[in-house]
Amino acid sequence: MLLDVKSLTKRFGGLTAVSNVAFGIERGEIIGIFGPNGSGKTTTLSLIAGILKPTSGVILWKGNDISNLSPFEVAQQGLVKTFQNPQLFPELTVVEHMRIACHLHIKRELGIGRLRTLIGGMPVGLDRLLEQKIDQVLALCRLSSQRNEHAAALSYGGEKMLGVAMGMLCEPELLLLDEPASGLGHDEIANLDAVLRDLKSHGVTLCIIDHKVGFLGRLADRSIALHHGAVIASGKTSDVLADESVVAAYLGKKHA
Amino acid sequence: MTQLVIGQLLNGVIVGTLYGIIALGVTLTFGLTGVVNFALGAFMMLGAYATWYLYDVVGFPYPVAVIGAVVVVSIFGYVSDLALFRFTRGNLVNGLLVSIGMISVFEALVLAAFTTTPKDLTYVLPGALKVAGIVLPKIKVAVAAVFLAVILGTYLALTRTWLGRAAFAYAQNPEAAALMGIRTGRLQTIVVVYSTALAGLGGGLYASMYSIEPTIGSAYVLKAVEAAILAGVGSVLGALGGGIILGISENIGSVFFSSAFRDAYGLVFLILILLVRPGGLFGDRS
Amino acid sequence: EDVVKIGQIEALTGATATYGWMSAQGSKVAVEEINAKGGFKVGDRTYKLELQQVDTRGEPREATVQFRKMMEEKVHFVFGPFLTNVFNAIEPIANQNNGKFLLFAGATSAHAALGKPDHDYLLRTWNWDAGSAGFGKLMVDYLKKLNTRKVAMLFQNDAFGKTAVDIYSALFKDAGIELQVELFEPGTKDFSAVLAKLAAGKPDILFPGYSDAVLYDIVRQSTESGFGNRFFLVRGSIGPALKNKDAIEDYIAYVPKYFEGAEKTEPKVRAFIESYQKQFKREFPYDQAPLCSSSCYDHVYMLVEAMQKAGTVDDVAKIRAALMSMTYEGMWRIKYDKTGEAVFGFDVVHVRKGGAIERVPYDPTKE
Amino acid sequence: MKYAISVGLLLALAVPAFVHSDSMLAIAIYGFMAASLAVSFNLIFGFTGQLSMFHAASFGVSAYVVTILVTTFGWNFWLAIVPALAIVVILSLIVGTICFRFKLKEFYFAVVTLAFSEVLRLITLNWNSVTNGSLGITIVDTPKIWTPSGTFAIAGGVAWYYVTLALLVVVYAVCSRVLKSWIGRCLAAIRLNDQLGETLGIDVFKYKLLGFAIGSGLAGLVGAFYGFYAGFVEPHFLSISLGLDIIAMVLLGGVNSLIGPVVGALVLTALPHVIELSAELRIALYGSILIFVILVMPKGIVGLLTSRNHAA
Amino acid sequence: MLDVSNLSVSYGKQKVIREVSFKLEKGEVVTLIGPNAAGKSTTLRTLAGLKKADRGTIHLAGKDITESSTVDRVRAGLVLVPEGRQIFTKLSVHENLIIGAYHRADRDHASDDQERIFSMFPRLRERRDQKAGSMSGGEQQMLAIGRGLMSRPALMLLDEPTLGLAPIIIEELGRIVRNLAREGLTILLAEQNAMMALGCTDRAYVLQSGRIVTSGNAKELSETTEVKQMYLSA
Ligand SMILES: Nc1ncnc2c1ncn2[C@@H]1O[C@H](COP(=O)(O)OP(=O)(O)OP(=O)(O)O)[C@@H](O)[C@H]1O
Ligand SMILES: Nc1ncnc2c1ncn2[C@@H]1O[C@H](COP(=O)(O)OP(=O)(O)OP(=O)(O)O)[C@@H](O)[C@H]1O
Ligand SMILES: [Mg+2]
Ligand SMILES: [Mg+2]
């Protein structure tokens, strides 16, 4: 088990946003999270990513409890989350965003040897490698043409894709995506689907929230559904989507 | 000893209301325009000089002189908003430096007109109240009462009126506020002018308690900024509370320790409070 | 036409500007007067004065640059600085230029530098608290006569305040008077807390310093809140006493000259005040350190007289010798003692409840 | 840009051959030291986005420590720099840790660092036995330099001119290397969106602290030299007005570059000596320039010049 | 109600909207559909006065508002519910709604309308006093729509209102939109989610790279194979 979440609970004042949630993620799978608005999906991922601290419960990453780590420590362990509301570095261009996202790669590659780059500059080989990688990811995410534009000039969909691209550059073992497809058009969703499948084939584990049931239903091997902060269904995605309580609380009508 | 402490506690409250009235201006302008108007100290100084001029030189009754001073200072405030602050909205550092530049200009003006010679107003309300061995000058009590009334009035106006609601909304998201039909530019101008008027009032009443010089503003605006931060920016009653806390800590600190460290007592308090509540005492934690 | 340059290096703006600003005005009045009369003759040549006034803002660093510039421009006579920290900063540069110019300094710390090697340039225009001809000792004696046992000193925490506390601590100790000291931050306006604290120590008299700006506040707050009504001071004017005349008990001040009185009896004082009013088109600030403007005024004239006596405008050694040997009769009678410290008379003014003024003149130049 | 900087540096090296005025050199020397302060400040302010009001304190504390070690304890000047820098860095780490742990940002950060700075100033002002209080300490020693051809004292305008120019080059080089490295990117991420930076694996706290400590340490380095040229140290070294002057220099020159603060510092240092006006007019002029610069040239002198170039 | 003709908008040198013209009748629900970066948001922002048009005119109820400020447009009854919600994060849900009524003459009686909004989105009632910034993405979207309705607009522009909403709520939203139109409100939607959009609208315009490429009756449009292929299969 790559990630094991046990009886995770998060309270905000009197409101229990996540209540006793437990699930596990195996290496290499894609897991989907469904649930009505305000059911605690984002909160759950934020807890895993260290952005929020759980009220109780444990989060085991490869067997170690990570529930008290800061977001950057979690990211360094190989768990990276994207944001539901696109987050950017204002003023910077798309490619500059990507260079910042290479932080973890450089850190892994050079370690303490980074100090040497203060005098000698970055090793040429590494620099070239990173630029290649950036171009590759930008192409995959269809952002190449906007490479040198200010990120603030992207359309909403573009901003979301930039988030995914940055997440990919962190080279996570587990990538947590919060509604990557919302705001994307059909074409872009198809592309996203391909990108994510490709990631999976390269051994990256994915945990995805989305309300685009068609998209995520096709993509996810397994799913869980939350309602009022609690897991109401889990298992094979098609089974979860067919679950009566899920239909009643979330889908409204049976999904094709 | 208890008399000494209680006396200074009360004096701290009184001094604190003066910090509070300027702090209120700081808090409102910062909250709404994103600018820390350091020049509020200079506006206060202008208010003090205008009051002195109207009262001692022209010979108006004191209340009329103060009202006149408030009007004069508001006009200065309006003009400086039109000419300067309008262009620095939302930019903390630029606004800060523009206001510092204005301090220089105002000080130079007053210096040229009235020289460095301190002015001491003819006493408006001499004498003191004596209660249980504690002596409080009448004028200080009266001034503190006016400040309290003005701050509470502002609080009521902001929490109970649409203008106040619009102000809070604007402070958070200017574009969305425009989409709600809030006339943002006008609102900001109102706030800038109102806070300068508060500073003018502060200066006008200040002049009845202390002697005035062209440099009086700078010390007070620093205190006011500390008070606003201590309280949490955006909180009206907090500005008052922050001012009073500063006033008390300075006075009581000076009694028990060396008065040479007077300014440090408030600062240490400020640091401690922000460590416990990073958003300020009355602000929200974020 | 020939000119003699006079420099003046003072704080003209900023929180410490009060004295420097007034000094600058006094020399300006003198220079304009002299030039208006067509200058002055030394030998068979006529010279006019050129006054270069710079504003140090009270910042030592600024002063060092400005002072260097004056030295480069071969200014032979420099008035100022009044501020102790500024004097300390320019002293090393002045030492390097020893023999090339004269400095008419006012700073208290200049007292200690008088007569040291490399300090031939130094003259001190105001006999302040310290020194044999200083008034500090006389003032303390005056207090002693009033049976004072304990004094509370309340001074601004700056270079001068610290110097004053050092000087007076020693003087009070010698006189067997107990001393309580509190320092306040520059810019303080509310003295309530510190006054209350001092009052708790039950001093006989309060010794506040040192400019009118704080005196008005201290005297008012102290009397209004009942912290004390007896004052003793060595700077500032009697304005605060007169304003609170019914609230004070005693108010004893060193005043180089009681201008309100002198104006009526001394024509030279009258003339100076008129000239000042004409020059600056404003009221004469009686309660604003008139000693600074008037003494600078006198010293400019004294310097001119010395140049005429010495028969040169640029041999500073000769001019210094002339200054040291002469007695100038202006608003004051001024002499220099052998170290280069100016000696001139002053008044002790004692204001009593109700505003009665008693004036005790001292004239050390007579001894 | 690189080209312009090199030419500027060469010109600067040649200046003492032509300018013999001691006061002109003094202006240049103070200009270089102000520029070093401004450059190091901009590392914290312009590039990390932290409006530190602690810079004057770092500068002043170091000046005092070096002075006291040399004048009271007879240390060698160069040796004294080491503990002075250590103390400054430790102080900045303490202040930084407190501010950043509690996530103080923007204005709150500015006011809290100001508070620390003021407390340090008041301690300096009132710790009479060690700092000589408001009178400050007069320095008569001159630092010495060892060269193969013998030791000589750093005294006089020309020697100090080159020493302070070298100081500026060192400070500039350190900041430039730091900004070009991975640290620079982390600092940018922190300035622009620290929450996003954190999820990308950047230890926001550590890098904020690092930027703050490097900038403050460099200010300390300037402080060490400053007192020895000026000939004194005094509590005003730690004053708010110095902090504000530095900000003004940075904004005048332009925040977005390293060279901007240098230009701003040189201009603002020289200006009052170039234009001679009556005192009242001078402060009014200073204020007006400040306002003018910010309203009309929001990107500063350098920003203005470079954007012209781009347009052309 | 709304008459847009030959509208062109650009960011710097980049032309984003080119010569776009369309019309809305009173009580009509019309959709702008189109892929990412087609210029939908830009169009709506220009209509709301947040972005200046290069060329073209905008008429609202016969009056030329091309040069009017955002506030004047709001007062004339044109309200935009912006993309990415832009709620007032530090105000409570209740306060956010109330501020929506700011420009109304009868704003002191706005609480009745608030009840209506609560019955449309019961979740908001549950969260009445929560700080809006701490609400979930979908809840914020509901709030943004509710706040827009509080101003009793004559014409409401909705920029991707389905963003982040659960399917069940999207369906509900469709019903709400139709009801509002029946009450006389005119609505312009910008949407990626063509399924929902076409389901509840009368007419639609398809925007691509800043140009209107097709338009027509919503039902008919959703039958065309092109649109079907492009937008409906997600
Ligand atoms: N900081 C907070 N303070 C108070 N309540 C909060 C806070 N953060 C989230 N909540 C509440 O917790 C609940 C769960 O929120 P969460 O963001 O996890 O929902 P979600 O499942 O992601 O919904 P959506 O699909 O709309 O994004 C919501 O009702 C929200 O209002
Ligand atoms: N502030 C801006 N500066 C420069 N270009 C911009 C800006 N905002 C948007 N653009 C560009 O304008 C084009 C249209 O953007 P717009 O946001 O209107 O698209 P959209 O149709 O709403 O897309 P989405 O469905 O992704 O929100 C895009 O190419 C975008 O990059
Ligand atoms: Mg969510
Ligand atoms: Mg859009």
Side-chain angles (χ1 to χ4, degrees):
Chain A
M1 187 98 22
L2 190 61
L3 182 83
D4 198 0
V5 175
K6 289 183 179 160
S7 59
L8 196 61
T9 299
K10 177 69 185 176
R11 278 190 208 99
F12 297 110
L15 175 81
T16 308
V18 173
S19 132
N20 226 355
V21 164
F23 64 97
I25 301 178
E26 297 290 350
R27 190 180 287 280
E29 69 175 340
I30 298 181
I31 189 158
I33 302 184
F34 295 96
N37 294 120
S39 58
K41 305 181 294 297
T42 299
T43 308
T44 304
L45 289 202
S46 297
L47 289 168
I48 296 173
I51 296 167
L52 295 173
K53 295 276 160 280
T55 310
S56 65
V58 281
I59 302 160
L60 296 178
W61 171 249
K62 299 179 185 168
N64 303 317
D65 188 2
I66 56 164
S67 54
N68 279 316
L69 298 188
S70 322
F72 77 92
E73 289 169 316
V74 175
Q76 285 173 2
Q77 303 250 333
L79 259 135
V80 172
K81 175 182 176 295
T82 67
F83 289 91
Q84 180 172 359
N85 296 328
Q87 296 280 318
L88 300 173
F89 298 118
E91 297 174 28
L92 296 192
T93 61
V94 170
V95 67
E96 283 166 336
H97 276 73
M98 302 300 274
R99 293 204 180 109
I100 290 178
C102 289
H103 178 75
L104 281 178
H105 185 111
I106 299 173
K107 186 179 156 107
R108 279 190 206 113
E109 199 69 28
L110 297 178
I112 192 73
R114 276 179 297 172
L115 286 179
R116 223 174 301 135
T117 67
L118 276 177
I119 296 164
M122 279 268 267
V124 184
L126 181 62
D127 218 27
R128 202 176 307 134
L129 184 85
L130 286 176
E131 289 298 315
Q132 271 171 10
K133 219 178 129 192
I134 287 173
D135 287 340
Q136 203 181 340
V137 172
L138 283 178
L140 277 176
C141 296
R142 296 191 176 175
L143 289 165
S144 299
S145 63
Q146 275 135 326
R147 190 175 192 276
N148 293 316
E149 265 178 57
H150 281 275
L154 294 178
S155 71
Y156 189 86
E159 290 177 358
K160 289 232 74 141
M161 281 314 291
L162 180 59
V164 176
M166 286 194 289
M168 284 164 68
L169 275 185
C170 290
E171 300 168 347
E173 286 179 63
L174 171 58
L175 185 57
L176 310 166
L177 298 172
D178 197 347
E179 301 196 15
S182 79
L184 293 193
H186 166 260
D187 243 19
E188 273 71 19
I189 290 180
N191 178 55
L192 179 68
D193 189 279
V195 169
L196 296 180
R197 282 179 201 276
D198 183 53
L199 267 183
K200 177 184 164 167
S201 72
H202 282 85
V204 180
T205 313
L206 293 161
C207 176
I208 305 171
I209 301 176
D210 215 291
H211 291 301
K212 300 239 155 135
V213 178
F215 154 75
L216 189 53
R218 263 177 275 131
L219 194 63
D221 312 314
R222 231 154 40 82
S223 289
I224 60 173
L226 297 177
H227 188 35
H228 292 309
V231 179
I232 51 167
S234 67
K236 258 183 66 188
T237 303
S238 52
D239 297 346
V240 168
L241 290 176
D243 188 287
E244 249 163 56
S245 54
V246 174
V247 171
Y250 179 60
L251 294 170
K253 61 171 190 260
K254 263 236 161 28
H255 193 260
Chain B
M1 194 65 198
T2 43
Q3 259 174 25
L4 175 64
V5 172
I6 294 175
Q8 286 320 304
L9 212 66
L10 290 176
N11 192 54
V13 173
I14 293 173
V15 174
T17 55
L18 176 55
Y19 295 158
I21 198 105
I22 311 289
L24 177 56
V26 170
T27 258
L28 290 180
T29 343
F30 182 50
L32 257 74
T33 65
V35 167
V36 180
N37 188 353
F38 250 70
L40 283 177
F43 283 108
M44 168 182 157
M45 182 270 291
L46 285 182
Y49 269 92
T51 305
W52 162 76
Y53 192 83
L54 295 174
Y55 175 60
D56 263 358
V57 181
V58 180
F60 286 144
Y62 180 68
V64 178
V66 172
I67 292 170
V70 170
V71 172
V72 169
V73 174
S74 312
I75 292 172
F76 270 92
Y78 181 65
V79 172
S80 56
D81 184 63
L82 278 192
L84 308 173
F85 287 127
R86 222 154 33 105
F87 304 103
T88 65
R89 288 192 178 144
N91 190 326
L92 178 73
V93 177
N94 284 4
L96 190 75
L97 281 162
V98 164
S99 63
I100 287 171
M102 283 171 66
I103 296 176
S104 297
V105 174
F106 284 160
E107 273 187 22
L109 285 179
V110 173
L111 210 55
F114 302 120
T115 76
T116 58
T117 309
K119 308 281 181 246
D120 200 43
L121 229 63
T122 307
Y123 296 160
V124 177
L125 186 62
L129 302 171
K130 293 194 184 74
V131 186
I134 293 163
V135 184
L136 286 177
K138 283 182 196 160
I139 185 71
K140 280 186 157 182
V141 176
V143 167
V146 174
F147 286 153
L148 277 178
V150 170
I151 295 175
L152 291 178
T154 308
Y155 173 73
L156 291 181
L158 277 183
T159 47
R160 304 275 160 90
T161 65
W162 281 92
L163 185 74
R165 273 191 204 128
F168 284 125
Y170 179 79
Q172 290 172 42
N173 191 335
E175 186 174 292
L179 288 174
M180 300 300 105
I182 296 169
R183 279 202 199 279
T184 53
R186 194 196 289 170
L187 186 68
Q188 288 180 316
T189 303
I190 291 174
V191 165
V192 171
V193 174
Y194 184 65
S195 57
T196 53
L198 287 177
L201 177 72
L205 298 188
Y206 176 97
S208 68
M209 300 192 291
Y210 308 114
S211 65
I212 58 178
E213 295 166 84
T215 48
I216 50 171
S218 52
Y220 277 85
V221 78
L222 255 184
K223 294 284 150 81
V225 165
E226 286 166 23
I229 284 284
L230 194 154
V233 170
S235 163
V236 171
L237 290 183
L240 176 64
I244 288 178
I245 289 173
L246 271 193
I248 290 178
S249 54
E250 282 174 2
N251 276 269
I252 297 297
S254 300
V255 167
F256 286 103
F257 310 100
S258 163
S259 62
F261 281 100
R262 188 191 62 154
D263 291 345
Y265 304 126
L267 291 172
V268 171
F269 220 88
L270 169 87
I271 294 171
L272 291 180
I273 286 183
L274 284 188
L275 295 191
V276 183
R277 289 187 63 96
L281 208 49
F282 304 85
D284 53 315
R285 288 187 87 126
S286 59
Chain C
E1 192 175 85
D2 298 303
V3 278
V4 174
K5 291 183 208 163
I6 294 182
Q8 186 154 31
I9 184 157
E10 291 291 8
L12 303 180
T13 56
T16 49
T18 313
Y19 292 104
W21 183 77
M22 280 304 287
S23 306
Q25 301 204 319
S27 24
K28 182 130 196 234
V29 174
V31 167
E32 298 285 329
E33 275 181 13
I34 292 169
N35 287 346
K37 282 186 223 137
F40 61 96
K41 265 183 112 94
V42 175
D44 46 7
R45 295 174 77 163
T46 305
Y47 294 89
K48 285 208 168 173
L49 292 173
E50 183 190 312
L51 186 61
Q52 293 186 1
Q53 294 182 323
V54 293
D55 178 10
T56 65
R57 274 175 279 164
E59 290 169 13
R61 186 199 91 180
E62 194 71 20
T64 58
V65 176
Q66 291 161 339
F67 185 67
R68 279 192 170 93
K69 204 163 167 196
M70 282 186 186
M71 292 298 98
E72 279 163 18
E73 292 176 358
K74 307 233 168 348
V75 179
H76 293 313
F77 312 100
V78 179
F79 280 67
F82 181 87
L83 296 170
T84 286
N85 53 346
V86 174
F87 175 76
N88 292 353
I90 65 168
E91 192 185 343
I93 307 165
N95 293 352
Q96 285 163 18
N97 288 283
N98 194 26
K100 297 185 198 151
F101 79 111
L102 294 177
L103 184 72
F104 299 84
T108 307
S109 60
H111 172 73
L114 284 170
K116 279 200 202 160
D118 288 342
H119 284 71
D120 301 328
Y121 61 86
L122 186 61
L123 294 157
R124 194 153 166 265
T125 48
W126 294 312
N127 58 341
W128 282 139
D129 323 63
S132 55
F135 55 82
K137 180 139 185 8
L138 285 166
M139 293 296 288
V140 173
D141 287 346
Y142 193 93
L143 272 191
K144 189 86 188 154
K145 261 185 263 163
L146 296 176
N147 257 336
T148 312
R149 251 157 295 157
K150 186 170 184 183
V151 172
M153 219 173 154
L154 177 56
F155 268 64
Q156 186 153 311
N157 196 2
D158 58 13
F160 174 70
K162 183 171 154 55
T163 315
V165 169
D166 288 348
I167 292 171
Y168 282 92
S169 300
L171 289 172
F172 285 126
K173 201 169 165 212
D174 289 346
I177 294 174
E178 213 186 317
L179 182 66
Q180 246 181 304
V181 180
E182 282 288 334
L183 295 172
F184 59 84
E185 272 280 280
T188 301
K189 286 288 181 181
D190 195 288
F191 295 94
S192 193
V194 66
L195 284 171
K197 185 179 173 187
L198 285 173
K202 303 211 183 324
D204 296 321
I205 200 158
L206 184 67
F207 178 12
Y210 56 83
S211 75
D212 284 359
V214 294
L215 283 179
Y216 274 106
D217 294 305
I218 291 176
V219 172
R220 174 182 186 178
Q221 290 169 30
S222 181
T223 52
E224 211 165 54
S225 300
F227 296 131
N229 51 13
R230 303 183 71 221
F231 304 90
F232 165 75
L233 49 128
V234 293
R235 291 288 186 287
S237 69
I238 60 168
L242 297 179
K243 184 152 189 178
N244 298 282
K245 62 182 191 293
D246 296 319
I248 56 161
E249 192 68 41
D250 293 293
Y251 184 99
I252 304 153
Y254 148 91
V255 183
K257 200 177 271 296
Y258 175 45
F259 264 70
E260 288 91 331
E263 182 181 20
K264 293 181 190 113
T265 55
E266 298 174 27
K268 280 185 176 160
V269 173
R270 179 75 231 145
F272 167 69
I273 290 178
E274 274 167 7
S275 190
Y276 179 98
Q277 285 166 338
K278 216 172 90 206
Q279 172 90 39
F280 295 108
K281 302 196 175 47
R282 68 167 85 94
E283 281 300 291
F284 183 73
Y286 291 98
D287 51 0
Q288 180 70 12
L291 79 153
C292 295
S293 52
S294 51
S295 109
C296 270
Y297 175 87
D298 267 7
H299 275 93
V300 172
Y301 273 103
M302 186 175 181
L303 173 62
V304 167
E305 212 177 292
M307 285 192 263
Q308 288 167 329
K309 280 214 168 98
T312 168
V313 295
D314 42 24
D315 185 337
V316 292
K318 271 196 192 152
I319 297 168
R320 181 181 165 101
L323 280 168
M324 300 291 276
S325 63
M326 69 189 277
T327 300
Y328 174 74
E329 299 280 351
M331 275 183 276
W332 277 285
R333 178 185 297 131
I334 305 173
K335 286 201 313 197
Y336 280 99
D337 73 3
K338 57 182 185 305
T339 63
E341 180 126 42
V343 180
F344 55 85
F346 58 88
D347 300 340
V348 169
V349 177
H350 191 148
V351 187
R352 292 204 168 77
K353 190 172 185 138
I357 296 173
E358 183 193 339
R359 173 173 163 235
V360 188
Y362 288 86
D363 191 354
T365 55
K366 287 205 178 110
E367 283 150 27
Chain D
M1 200 65 201
K2 262 211 172 110
Y3 179 71
I5 293 173
S6 320
V7 171
L9 189 59
L10 283 178
L11 281 180
L13 282 170
V15 160
F18 306 106
V19 177
H20 300 290
S21 151
D22 203 25
S23 64
M24 297 287 262
L25 286 182
I27 295 171
I29 291 165
Y30 282 123
F32 291 154
M33 290 197 276
S36 310
L37 279 180
V39 169
S40 57
F41 175 74
N42 204 31
L43 183 72
I44 306 173
F45 171 64
F47 292 98
T48 321
Q50 309 290 326
L51 181 51
S52 165
M53 292 302 287
F54 197 69
H55 221 61
S58 304
F59 164 79
V61 165
S62 161
Y64 263 94
V65 173
V66 174
T67 305
I68 290 167
L69 286 178
V70 173
T71 56
T72 315
F73 297 96
W75 283 41
N76 176 289
F77 170 76
W78 302 101
L79 200 62
I81 293 182
V82 177
L85 289 197
I87 288 174
V88 167
V89 169
I90 290 170
L91 277 177
S92 65
L93 287 177
I94 293 172
V95 170
T97 303
I98 291 174
C99 291
F100 301 140
R101 264 287 166 252
F102 289 91
K103 302 228 158 81
L104 297 180
K105 278 189 192 162
E106 294 163 6
F107 197 38
Y108 289 85
F109 176 77
V111 173
V112 171
T113 47
L114 176 79
F116 277 109
S117 171
E118 274 291 281
V119 170
L120 284 174
R121 183 183 69 83
L122 287 169
I123 291 174
T124 318
L125 178 63
N126 291 301
W127 195 2
N128 281 301
S129 57
V130 175
T131 62
N132 196 28
S134 47
L135 281 175
I137 303 172
T138 308
I139 304 171
V140 283
D141 303 66
T142 42
K144 292 185 181 52
I145 291 185
W146 297 271
T147 61
S149 50
T151 63
F152 68 95
I154 307 176
V158 177
W160 274 105
Y161 181 90
Y162 284 113
V163 168
T164 48
L165 181 59
L167 179 70
L168 174 58
V169 170
V170 168
V171 170
Y172 189 94
V174 170
C175 291
S176 153
R177 290 315 310 177
V178 165
L179 288 173
K180 289 214 177 96
S181 73
W182 87 100
I183 301 176
R185 279 185 203 154
C186 292
L187 297 183
I190 289 169
R191 167 168 56 100
L192 296 168
N193 187 343
D194 55 357
Q195 200 193 359
L196 176 57
E198 182 127 21
T199 57
L200 294 176
I202 296 173
D203 186 345
V204 168
F205 172 75
K206 185 172 94 185
Y207 283 101
K208 262 189 193 169
L209 201 56
L210 192 66
F212 185 59
I214 295 176
S216 301
L218 291 174
L221 187 64
V222 182
F225 285 87
Y226 194 98
F228 279 77
Y229 174 67
F232 59 88
V233 289
E234 52 150 6
H236 277 287
F237 279 25
L238 290 82
S239 70
I240 300 173
S241 59
L242 175 62
L244 292 176
D245 282 348
I246 297 174
I247 301 179
M249 290 169 188
V250 169
L251 287 184
L252 173 65
V255 269
N256 294 324
S257 65
L258 269 179
I259 196 69
V262 176
V263 174
L266 293 179
V267 170
L268 268 195
T269 310
L271 203 62
H273 303 283
V274 179
I275 313 173
E276 281 178 30
L277 285 171
S278 81
E280 289 95 342
L281 274 180
R282 217 212 34 243
I283 21 180
L285 180 78
Y286 174 82
S288 314
I289 289 179
L290 208 58
I291 294 173
F292 176 84
V293 164
I294 286 166
L295 296 186
V296 182
M297 315 192 294
K299 287 188 172 161
I301 298 173
V302 170
L304 197 72
L305 293 179
T306 48
S307 64
R308 281 269 163 76
N309 278 346
H310 283 309
Chain E
M1 187 75 208
L2 183 73
D3 188 347
V4 178
S5 67
N6 294 321
L7 195 68
S8 292
V9 187
S10 56
Y11 291 103
K13 281 181 200 140
Q14 188 199 357
K15 285 212 164 64
V16 175
I17 302 295
R18 304 153 200 259
E19 306 282 317
V20 164
S21 305
F22 56 90
K23 267 189 192 157
L24 268 76
E25 297 303 328
K26 188 168 162 36
E28 230 188 350
V29 182
V30 173
T31 310
L32 277 177
I33 48 176
N36 288 121
K40 305 180 294 296
S41 301
T42 306
T43 308
L44 295 201
R45 290 174 63 81
T46 310
L47 293 181
L50 296 174
K51 178 90 188 79
K52 273 237 160 331
D54 298 344
R55 255 170 298 127
T57 55
I58 307 165
H59 284 84
L60 180 68
K63 265 208 305 258
D64 186 352
I65 57 162
T66 319
E67 298 296 322
S68 315
S69 71
T70 302
V71 172
D72 288 334
R73 295 185 201 202
V74 173
R75 287 177 187 228
L78 184 154
V79 163
L80 168 69
V81 176
E83 183 179 56
R85 300 149 196 146
Q86 304 218 21
I87 45 152
F88 300 112
T89 48
K90 287 183 192 162
L91 298 186
S92 69
V93 169
H94 162 71
E95 288 165 328
N96 262 284
L97 289 175
I98 290 295
I99 211 80
Y102 180 81
H103 78 93
R104 274 165 48 185
D106 61 340
R107 60 192 182 185
D108 290 326
H109 308 288
S111 39
D112 308 347
D113 288 50
Q114 184 176 316
E115 270 314 305
R116 205 165 65 108
I117 309 258
F118 282 160
S119 59
M120 281 179 205
F121 302 110
R123 175 51 69 93
L124 294 183
R125 194 201 309 271
E126 289 167 34
R127 295 277 184 270
R128 190 177 184 277
D129 294 314
Q130 186 172 328
K131 280 233 162 71
S134 68
M135 300 218 298
S136 85
E139 289 165 349
Q140 292 183 11
Q141 186 65 50
M142 300 175 206
L143 178 59
I145 297 169
R147 188 184 61 181
L149 286 172
M150 284 296 287
S151 74
R152 294 230 185 115
L155 169 64
M156 183 143 115
L157 315 178
L158 293 168
D159 197 352
E160 301 214 23
T162 64
L163 204 70
L165 290 182
I168 190 170
I169 305 287
I170 293 180
E171 213 170 293
E172 176 65 23
L173 185 66
R175 266 195 297 279
I176 290 172
V177 165
R178 277 193 298 275
N179 282 339
L180 287 169
R182 212 165 295 140
E183 290 168 22
L185 180 61
T186 316
I187 296 175
L188 177 61
L189 285 171
E191 261 301 338
Q192 301 266 9
N193 190 330
M195 187 128 80
M196 173 268 172
L198 294 180
C200 70
T201 53
D202 308 317
R203 285 187 303 120
Y205 294 87
V206 179
L207 198 64
Q208 253 169 29
S209 310
R211 286 206 171 83
I212 290 181
V213 290
T214 337
S215 65
N217 182 291
K219 274 234 175 56
E220 288 166 15
L221 259 183
S222 54
E223 300 302 318
T224 61
T225 45
E226 199 191 354
V227 172
K228 240 186 185 162
Q229 242 184 14
M230 287 197 59
Y231 304 114
L232 295 179
S233 47

